[in-house]
Amino acid sequence: MPRRSDVQEKPRDRKGTLIRLGKYMAQYKMLMLLALVLTVGSNLLQLLGPMLSGYAINAIEPGAGKVDFGRVFYYAGWMLVFYLVSSLLSYALSVLMVFISQKIVVRMRKDVFDKLMELPISFFDRYQTGDILSRISYDIDTVNASLSNDLVQILTSIITVVGSFGMMFMISKQLVLVFVFTVPASILFTRYMTRKVRPLFSRRSYMLGRLNGFVEEMVSGQKTIRAYNREKVILGRFDKQNDEAVEAYYRAEYYGSMTGPSVNFINNLSLSLISVFGVLLYLAGSMVLGDVSSFVLYSRKFSGPINEAANILSELQSAMAAAERVFRLLDEPIEPADAPDAQVLQKPEGQVDMEHVSFGYDEKKLILKDLSLTARPGSLVAIVGPTGAGKTTLINLLMRFYDPQKGEIRIDGINTLKLTRSSLRGSFAMVLQDTWLFNGTIYENIAYGSPGATREQVEAAARAAHIHNYIMSLPDGYDTVLSEDGVNISKGQKQLMTIARAMLLDTHMLILDEATSNVDTRTELRIQAAMRKLMENKTCFVIAHRLSTIQNADLILVVRDGNIVEQGKHQQLLDQNGFYAQLYRAQFE
């Protein structure tokens, strides 16, 4: 199926993203209320400083040079107290916001992972693994950084701007008129840059996710790359994607970084105008020197947050783009719920019927076309055919990873659409060609689907899978810890362990998708014999390319171009001298 990462994701509603982030913060409303109190308290104390500074300057009498040092030290002392308390409140606020942001990120990451557990298999077929990992790690970390730092700065900026403007208005209404020109210029420029920068940061997140997906894929395929001497080709592809990611990153940061200096220039222009007109008002006797000084200090406080807000605009854009990608994943449709009257499949006999089933991952391009088959209870059904014929797709439909567009599949005469997915899938054991082991002991890996299995049961399954002797040769036996994905053992040994895991399950049907492709022929034959003994009265579906392994199958289905073109036993199909016979001769002659 085509990967979604091949398609450019467009930015969506930023207002909706902010609302959803707000809902996460609302879960800790008491802590957020405390943060608001600390923010208001810290900034109000900061705003008292310029006023006290003006009072201290007014203690100096012009001309005679008389200074009332008592008043100067009095106001300076209070300034020191207010600034010290403000700094302590600001520190407490920073610590609190880090704590809140961590809580929110933990919750968000849990929501994303819980969502992944509910998404249909089709989602993981559409998106690259690296892109998914990028959302749960990089994107959420970006949101975390914004919540812990940028949010505090925005709240501080709002309070400081409003408070400073109020104080300036009280000191001199005439000088406030300077901001009638400079503030709208700052706002209009910032809005223009926001609209320009927003899609650039969305593209940056998309390109980084695509690069992560490519790197994850190439790292997992290192052996194949080196075996085919494709290092230079892969390096070339990486360089191309890396350059595109860097270009997207550069463009976002380049235009984002223009905002701060430009707004800073406008703010400095306003400061220059205030200084000129303030001196004129002082000379005209309309203002005292202390008020001019206080007004200049308040204008710095008024302009500073506007400049800071412009500087963190790029970070906010990045955080919004990252949050958008996270919420986009959370908005993905989950696997459809079971039908209201869905039955629980209990102790099935294993009769499997497919009638006129048609299916395609893309509805315009069918893979299975009007397919019908019958698997009787306890039979071994082998599915063979060329690559792309629809063998694995058939298994996906049996497990209801996908539902057919036409036709129906029945287990013991019951349409699978009328069964609960959990009971249906619980009736199957699966061993896939791509083995999966997790970081844990061998015992834990084999007993993965049977948490209550005893050591004796695990060992019996391992013996049947011909892996017991190898396990006992290890220093810690069944307590040996496997590294991630079992990279410290061979592929054949991993496959035998996953077969033992399937044997341990108390299921009524078994699916083997090229399950013995990594073991030698002799071991494979022994496994087949052991499995037939252990899987008596259970329906088994085996997808195989090596036709030597399915010669004793009760029924062989030959799939070609989405249709079952032949079916029967091994010798019957050879005698027909049809497509199966061609496949067999191609392997053995």
Side-chain angles (χ1 to χ4, degrees):
M1 294 186 63
R3 294 286 189 176
R4 180 64 181 273
S5 57
D6 296 333
V7 181
Q8 175 70 43
E9 296 181 18
K10 297 181 179 180
R12 294 185 180 180
D13 180 27
R14 295 309 171 94
K15 182 179 178 181
T17 301
L18 286 172
I19 291 174
R20 296 181 70 168
L21 281 175
K23 290 181 180 178
Y24 273 97
M25 291 186 285
Q27 297 177 29
Y28 307 97
K29 52 182 175 294
M30 296 307 297
L31 292 177
M32 292 300 300
L33 180 61
L34 176 59
L36 180 61
V37 171
L38 291 174
T39 304
V40 172
S42 174
N43 285 278
L44 287 181
L45 290 175
Q46 286 276 350
L47 288 171
L48 292 175
M51 179 182 68
L52 295 174
S53 174
Y55 291 162
I57 291 175
N58 285 334
I60 303 173
E61 295 183 13
K66 295 180 181 180
V67 179
D68 187 344
F69 285 104
R71 289 174 60 195
V72 171
F73 290 137
Y74 174 78
Y75 292 124
W78 277 112
M79 285 175 63
L80 179 62
V81 171
F82 289 158
Y83 282 141
L84 179 61
V85 175
S86 175
S87 297
L88 292 175
L89 293 178
S90 180
Y91 173 75
L93 174 64
S94 298
V95 173
L96 179 61
M97 287 306 299
V98 168
F99 177 76
I100 294 174
S101 66
Q102 288 296 319
K103 287 279 190 182
I104 292 173
V105 163
V106 167
R107 182 67 191 177
M108 186 179 291
R109 196 165 273 142
K110 183 180 185 304
D111 288 347
V112 171
F113 195 81
D114 290 346
K115 182 73 175 189
L116 291 176
M117 296 299 101
E118 297 177 340
L119 291 173
I121 294 296
S122 58
F123 172 83
F124 300 95
D125 288 338
R126 294 197 313 271
Y127 286 90
Q128 288 182 323
T129 302
D131 184 53
I132 298 172
L133 294 177
S134 177
R135 299 187 192 212
I136 202 172
S137 57
Y138 168 78
D139 287 335
I140 292 182
D141 285 340
T142 301
V143 174
N144 174 36
S146 182
L147 289 176
S148 59
N149 299 316
D150 301 338
L151 185 60
V152 173
Q153 292 189 37
I154 290 296
L155 290 173
T156 299
S157 298
I158 292 173
I159 295 171
T160 302
V161 166
V162 173
S164 297
F165 183 82
M167 298 300 288
M168 288 188 295
F169 191 81
M170 290 173 58
I171 294 172
S172 174
K173 298 179 179 61
Q174 295 96 325
L175 283 182
V176 170
L177 293 176
V178 170
F179 296 106
V180 172
F181 303 99
T182 57
V183 171
S186 297
I187 294 174
L188 291 174
F189 181 77
T190 302
R191 288 187 63 185
Y192 167 76
M193 291 304 298
T194 299
R195 292 175 180 175
K196 185 177 183 64
V197 168
R198 181 182 298 165
L200 297 179
F201 277 97
S202 294
R203 178 169 174 78
R204 186 184 79 166
S205 292
Y206 158 74
M207 296 301 293
L208 289 175
R210 193 180 74 159
L211 180 63
N212 286 340
F214 178 81
V215 171
E216 188 273 338
E217 185 179 359
M218 293 305 106
V219 169
S220 62
Q222 276 297 301
K223 290 182 180 179
T224 303
I225 292 170
R226 293 170 189 258
Y228 284 89
N229 295 317
R230 302 289 287 176
E231 293 93 336
K232 291 184 178 180
V233 175
I234 297 304
L235 285 173
R237 292 178 184 174
F238 173 79
D239 288 341
K240 183 175 182 297
Q241 292 206 22
N242 191 31
D243 289 342
E244 291 175 350
V246 169
E247 175 66 18
Y249 201 100
Y250 172 78
R251 285 176 59 83
E253 293 295 334
Y254 174 79
Y255 287 103
S257 62
M258 288 176 58
T259 309
S262 301
V263 174
N264 193 30
F265 169 76
I266 297 173
N267 292 334
N268 286 332
L269 178 63
S270 68
L271 181 62
S272 301
L273 294 174
I274 287 169
S275 300
V276 171
F277 290 118
V279 169
L280 294 176
L281 290 173
Y282 170 73
L283 294 175
S286 300
M287 292 183 68
V288 296
L289 188 61
D291 287 348
V292 174
S293 174
S294 295
F295 197 99
V296 170
L297 292 175
Y298 278 123
S299 70
R300 294 288 293 178
K301 283 187 170 294
F302 179 80
S303 303
I306 296 177
N307 187 39
E308 289 177 4
N311 284 330
I312 65 172
L313 179 64
S314 61
E315 297 177 16
L316 287 173
Q317 294 298 321
S318 177
M320 289 300 101
E324 228 177 352
R325 280 166 48 83
V326 173
F327 292 139
R328 200 170 295 163
L329 188 152
L330 291 174
D331 289 339
E332 285 285 338
I334 63 174
E335 196 167 47
D338 295 324
D341 58 345
Q343 305 176 43
V344 176
L345 185 61
Q346 296 179 338
K347 297 182 180 180
E349 295 180 4
Q351 173 83 16
V352 179
D353 297 286
M354 286 188 171
E355 285 192 2
H356 307 292
V357 170
S358 295
F359 173 78
Y361 298 105
D362 181 349
E363 294 187 9
K364 297 179 181 179
K365 185 178 180 181
L366 295 179
I367 295 176
L368 300 179
K369 308 159 191 172
D370 197 32
L371 185 149
S372 299
L373 67 86
T374 297
R376 301 190 180 282
S379 62
L380 174 59
V381 179
I383 306 168
V384 302
T387 301
K391 303 185 297 298
T392 301
T393 299
L394 191 150
I395 298 303
N396 286 337
L397 294 177
L398 280 176
M399 295 290 288
R400 280 202 71 189
F401 294 147
Y402 294 87
D403 290 326
Q405 275 95 26
K406 294 181 181 179
E408 66 177 45
I409 303 170
R410 296 192 300 271
I411 304 291
D412 292 347
I414 306 173
N415 191 328
T416 54
L417 298 178
K418 297 181 179 179
L419 295 172
T420 62
R421 285 187 178 85
S422 59
S423 66
L424 171 66
R425 293 169 183 172
S427 299
F428 285 92
M430 285 189 72
V431 180
L432 304 177
Q433 182 177 4
D434 297 326
T435 56
W436 179 74
L437 299 175
F438 57 87
N439 195 328
T441 65
I442 291 176
Y443 169 79
E444 291 169 340
N445 270 278
I446 294 178
Y448 178 73
S450 309
T454 64
R455 179 61 67 95
E456 291 74 19
Q457 291 172 322
V458 170
E459 291 184 6
R463 284 191 179 93
H466 298 274
I467 192 64
H468 173 74
N469 291 338
Y470 168 75
I471 295 173
M472 295 307 296
S473 69
L474 299 173
D476 297 323
Y478 283 86
D479 295 322
T480 300
V481 177
L482 300 177
S483 62
E484 186 179 357
D485 200 26
V487 295
N488 53 342
I489 61 175
S490 70
K491 284 189 176 181
Q493 291 157 351
K494 286 198 294 184
Q495 215 153 34
L496 291 171
M497 287 184 188
T498 56
I499 291 172
R501 177 194 292 167
M503 289 180 171
L504 192 60
L505 293 172
D506 182 21
T507 59
H508 304 277
M509 288 166 283
L510 173 68
I511 293 174
L512 301 173
D513 186 354
E514 291 293 332
T516 56
S517 60
N518 290 321
V519 298
D520 59 86
T521 304
R522 183 178 178 184
T523 302
E524 189 172 33
L525 292 174
R526 291 204 306 267
I527 291 174
Q528 291 290 339
M531 288 178 62
R532 289 302 299 272
K533 183 178 180 181
L534 289 174
M535 299 296 169
E536 288 179 355
N537 301 320
K538 295 182 181 180
T539 308
C540 303
F541 290 88
V542 179
I543 295 177
H545 285 300
R546 289 159 61 174
L547 303 185
S548 60
T549 63
I550 46 92
Q551 294 183 15
N552 295 322
D554 299 307
L555 177 65
I556 299 174
L557 303 175
V558 185
V559 183
R560 185 179 187 182
D561 297 329
N563 298 305
I564 296 180
V565 294
E566 299 174 22
Q567 56 180 306
K569 290 182 175 292
H570 171 70
Q571 193 58 48
Q572 292 175 338
L573 294 174
L574 288 181
D575 293 340
Q576 291 178 15
N577 197 28
F579 186 59
Y580 178 82
Q582 294 178 26
L583 294 174
Y584 187 81
R585 285 195 295 268
Q587 289 190 16
F588 296 101
E589 292 183 6

